[in-house]
Amino acid sequence: MPTFNSADTVLETLESVVKTKESDLEILIVDDGSTDGTVELIKNKKIPNVTILNSPHMGPANIKNFAIKHITGEFVCFIDSDDLLDINYFKILRKILISKPELMIFNYAVFNEHEINSRSLRKVSPTISEMGTMIWNKVYSASLIKKIAFPSDTTFEDVGFSAQAYLLSDNTIYVDEVLYYYRQRFGSITKNPDKPVYVHLDIIKGFEEMFSFIRKHSLNLQEKEKRDISILVNNNLLMHIRKILSLYNVDNREVKSTIGDLLKYKKKMNIFLGKKYNFLFSNKRTENLKFQVMFFLIKIRAWRTVKLIISRNKKF
């Protein structure tokens, strides 16, 4: 569990872990230079099996790489310091261990920070493009996770990491259960207009790490894997452009430059994977068509129109 100024939620999160009544567990807290008393709160709670590692502030990717170096267990799961585990999290997953998985993927639910009892199901699938790019709806074998790393000095660090784990895993198991509860907060990086727009270019670093990993391990991608990776890249680049257009002033020079860089990278990756995947954003036909229309509007710089569509239809 990486923490950074999490005093308002961290004890609730830890309580959700304690309630699982899992004894064979190490809770590794890696604090990223908190200044709000987060570490003191955890220490005063005296929760069993907790190890706290302190670090000067280094950012979300670097702190997770730091944590991986200190893993001692056989399996590793991540939990954000404002989210919750289902009470049956370990009970259900422990039953799967007899199959000796290297990667386990499961469903999750989303709740608003002000409405903790109102939860919305998010069902995933065991594919690169539909498993979810986040790391917390997965459990990794320690032997697998130590072969990969988060791209250094990045903010959107999960995307390439999750894909690398999937490609490298020899035994991936999908668990059709909701085991994790993700808290939606306006102040998060993806929804905060006060963050510099260029942080969205970190998504490129994540994908570059993923493709470098593919080359390093000489992975021979099958047709389905190329298709899934294309959807992953196209959809995430489009998603970040949509976030930029919804949060920032489209007349700003840096905003224009950032969108331009994301579009250039999309073109570069489509050439690498195959031009036939250029307009592949989803496996669902209707959704894919919607995204194709939006991408066309972005490409011809009809950004105000896209901004209007996003504001009127949050699901577009």
Side-chain angles (χ1 to χ4, degrees):
M1 180 192 297
T3 57
F4 176 65
N5 290 343
S6 310
D8 58 336
T9 59
V10 69
L11 292 185
E12 182 183 13
T13 299
L14 284 170
E15 182 64 22
S16 78
V17 179
V18 172
K19 284 181 178 178
T20 65
K21 297 183 178 180
E22 172 63 42
S23 58
D24 188 13
L25 179 72
E26 179 183 29
I27 305 172
L28 184 61
I29 308 290
V30 281
D31 187 72
D32 194 14
S34 292
T35 57
D36 67 342
T38 294
V39 173
E40 289 73 18
L41 273 175
I42 298 171
K43 287 181 177 178
N44 291 338
K45 195 68 176 177
K46 293 181 169 54
I47 299 171
N49 304 324
V50 168
T51 299
I52 302 175
L53 300 177
N54 296 291
S55 168
H57 186 62
M58 60 173 71
N62 297 343
I63 196 68
K64 289 171 187 170
N65 286 331
F66 173 69
I68 289 173
K69 294 177 182 178
H70 293 83
I71 289 170
T72 60
E74 189 177 354
F75 291 91
V76 184
C77 55
F78 292 87
I79 179 171
D80 284 353
S81 57
D82 56 353
D83 295 342
L84 306 171
L85 294 187
D86 186 83
I87 195 168
N88 294 312
Y89 184 97
F90 294 107
K91 180 181 178 181
I92 291 172
L93 292 177
R94 186 170 282 282
K95 293 177 182 178
I96 313 296
L97 298 186
I98 193 171
S99 301
K100 297 183 178 179
E102 287 197 314
L103 178 64
M104 291 182 278
I105 303 168
F106 44 85
N107 302 326
Y108 65 101
V110 174
F111 67 94
N112 185 291
E113 62 179 323
H114 302 299
E115 300 173 12
I116 193 168
N117 294 319
S118 178
R119 296 170 175 174
S120 177
L121 169 66
R122 297 291 191 273
K123 191 176 177 67
V124 301
S125 298
T127 66
I128 293 173
S129 61
E130 296 182 349
M131 65 180 178
T133 58
M134 51 280 178
I135 58 172
W136 39 252
N137 76 323
K138 303 168 183 71
V139 172
Y140 311 80
S141 70
S143 58
L144 175 69
I145 206 171
K146 289 185 177 182
K147 295 175 184 176
I148 52 183
F150 295 93
S152 300
D153 304 318
T154 58
T155 300
F156 302 104
E157 71 282 1
D158 294 359
V159 180
F161 186 92
S162 298
Q164 290 172 53
Y166 185 93
L167 289 168
L168 198 59
S169 171
D170 289 326
N171 186 16
T172 298
I173 296 177
Y174 168 58
V175 184
D176 192 8
E177 300 277 358
V178 175
L179 299 179
Y180 192 97
Y181 301 104
Y182 170 72
R183 187 191 304 259
Q184 283 190 321
R185 308 180 77 174
F186 177 78
S188 67
I189 292 169
T190 59
K191 297 180 180 180
N192 191 346
D194 295 326
K195 293 288 182 180
V197 67
Y198 59 77
V199 300
H200 288 271
L201 294 178
D202 279 357
I203 194 73
I204 293 177
K205 296 178 184 177
F207 286 134
E208 283 292 291
E209 189 88 6
M210 177 182 70
F211 284 108
S212 175
F213 175 86
I214 291 171
R215 290 189 291 268
K216 176 183 176 182
H217 291 272
S218 302
L219 299 179
N220 184 23
L221 300 179
Q222 303 301 309
E223 187 72 15
K224 185 181 183 305
E225 291 172 330
K226 287 183 179 180
R227 178 185 175 89
D228 279 343
I229 292 175
S230 295
I231 291 174
L232 177 72
V233 174
N234 289 341
N235 190 29
N236 274 272
L237 291 173
L238 178 62
M239 178 185 70
H240 278 268
I241 294 173
R242 287 159 59 201
K243 287 182 183 294
I244 290 169
L245 291 175
S246 66
L247 293 172
Y248 299 91
N249 178 3
V250 296
D251 293 322
N252 181 278
R253 181 180 296 178
E254 194 167 26
V255 169
K256 293 178 181 178
S257 175
T258 301
I259 293 174
D261 288 341
L262 292 170
L263 290 173
K264 288 176 186 176
Y265 189 76
K266 181 184 179 307
K267 184 177 180 180
K268 174 185 175 182
M269 283 302 98
N270 286 142
I271 292 173
F272 177 82
L273 291 165
K275 291 184 179 180
K276 62 181 176 179
Y277 304 122
N278 191 33
F279 297 106
L280 193 57
F281 297 91
S282 171
N283 282 313
K284 300 173 184 176
R285 181 176 296 183
T286 302
E287 185 176 67
N288 192 53
L289 181 59
K290 288 181 179 179
F291 288 160
Q292 286 175 348
V293 170
M294 181 166 283
F295 175 71
F296 173 76
L297 292 172
I298 290 170
K299 196 171 181 180
I300 64 172
R301 299 176 73 90
W303 295 348
R304 294 185 189 282
T305 301
V306 175
K307 194 178 182 80
L308 182 62
I309 292 172
I310 294 171
S311 66
R312 289 185 175 180
N313 186 355
K314 298 296 183 182
K315 294 183 179 181
F316 194 99

